[in-house]
Amino acid sequence: MPDPSFFAQQAAQQAQQQAQQAHQQAMRAHQQAHQHAVRHGHRPPPMPPSGAYRGRGGGLVSFLILVAVVVVLARNTELRESVLGSIQHLLAQIQEG
């Protein structure tokens, strides 16, 4: 049987991909609203700064937190089972829409 921390890492990666997709979709919707406003002579909504959603070093900090969570889950069986169950429940809700 594969290491349970592998499943936690996979779930975290999948959640990160879904968050990135949601962010991209929101940015596209914002850009479309901006273009629509310009075409119709309205004042467009302000564009958010490019680094508005991530602080300095946000990628590294997120990665280190993920590593710490995976290590803790690999060592604590009860916590791992609880977190994996919660992640599976959350993913099922997201997929149901």
Side-chain angles (χ1 to χ4, degrees):
M1 179 173 182
D3 185 13
S5 64
F6 173 75
F7 291 120
Q9 184 180 11
Q10 277 189 323
Q13 287 174 347
Q14 186 176 12
Q16 182 182 16
Q17 288 173 349
Q18 289 174 346
Q20 287 174 344
Q21 289 171 351
H23 174 73
Q24 290 171 353
Q25 184 178 6
M27 290 300 293
R28 281 193 298 271
H30 182 83
Q31 289 171 347
Q32 288 174 350
H34 183 274
Q35 292 169 354
H36 178 79
V38 169
R39 276 194 306 268
H40 294 282
H42 301 289
R43 184 171 174 221
M47 292 295 286
S50 61
Y53 300 106
R54 291 175 52 175
R56 186 174 171 191
L60 178 60
V61 172
S62 298
F63 175 73
L64 292 176
I65 290 172
L66 176 63
V67 169
V69 168
V70 169
V71 168
V72 169
L73 291 176
R75 292 184 179 176
N76 187 331
T77 308
E78 291 177 21
L79 180 61
R80 179 178 56 233
E81 295 299 323
S82 173
V83 169
L84 288 177
S86 298
I87 290 172
Q88 289 172 346
H89 178 73
L90 179 64
L91 290 176
Q93 286 182 334
I94 290 171
Q95 290 173 348
E96 289 175 6

